[in-house]
Amino acid sequence: MLFAFLSGRSKPVKIGKIESFSLSYTTGNTANANVRYALTVENGVCTAVVKHVNVPPEEERAFVVDADFVRELEQILIDNEVGKWNGFDKIDKNVMDGDSFSLYITMADGASVDAHGYMRWPKNYAAVRDAVEALFDAHMPQT
């Protein structure tokens, strides 16, 4: 444990029943270049939120999803070992106008994952980002 503290690394977390999830990332340095996928589970109601690139924050979309959606999200995280991302905090200081990401997950048992980076990504990041995007976008009601 002391090694984890001194090395700046946190203990891996077992992905379980999700209470909240937020993945956000930037795709450039222009206005509204950020993307966000979020989920909250409160009193049995599962609410997903999507904010696509080039969409102002006030136009993000919230919609109700079912327990199968939550289980599918949990499986994406388990399959890609996202629990090992806990404590990931890496920056490429040589890049001034790059991309970044932030991931926050809390589980019903109180465990949480906190990871972020700037021009540095944990193992399987692209696969997770793409799978999360596909899952949320597939369930978002069309307007």
Side-chain angles (χ1 to χ4, degrees):
M1 188 66 156
L2 180 59
F3 169 76
F5 174 75
L6 294 175
S7 67
R9 296 180 61 192
S10 297
K11 183 177 178 182
V13 172
K14 182 178 180 192
I15 301 297
K17 186 175 178 181
I18 295 175
E19 284 191 344
S20 67
F21 169 89
S22 176
L23 172 64
S24 60
Y25 58 92
T26 60
T27 60
N29 61 356
T30 60
N32 299 316
N34 62 314
V35 175
R36 183 168 85 100
Y37 295 96
L39 173 75
T40 56
V41 180
E42 292 182 2
N43 300 321
V45 178
C46 309
T47 305
V49 175
V50 172
K51 190 245 173 254
H52 287 125
V53 69
N54 297 324
V55 173
E58 60 272 12
E59 293 180 23
E60 69 182 15
R61 303 266 314 273
F63 51 97
V64 174
V65 293
D66 61 17
D68 288 338
F69 175 96
V70 178
R71 282 190 289 276
E72 193 170 343
L73 176 60
E74 290 165 351
Q75 197 60 55
I76 290 167
L77 303 176
I78 291 166
D79 290 348
N80 288 282
E81 301 180 321
V82 171
K84 291 182 178 179
W85 295 10
N86 189 39
F88 185 93
D89 183 13
K90 295 189 178 182
I91 298 171
D92 183 340
K93 295 179 183 177
N94 296 313
V95 180
M96 293 183 66
D97 291 329
D99 297 339
S100 63
F101 84 97
S102 294
L103 174 75
Y104 304 99
I105 308 167
T106 57
M107 268 68 70
D109 65 2
S112 63
V113 175
D114 182 355
H116 40 87
Y118 176 76
M119 294 306 294
R120 302 282 303 271
W121 297 272
K123 181 181 177 186
N124 299 329
Y125 171 76
V128 171
R129 182 199 61 218
D130 293 349
V132 166
E133 179 179 333
L135 175 64
F136 277 74
D137 288 354
H139 287 82
M140 185 170 63
Q142 300 301 313
T143 57

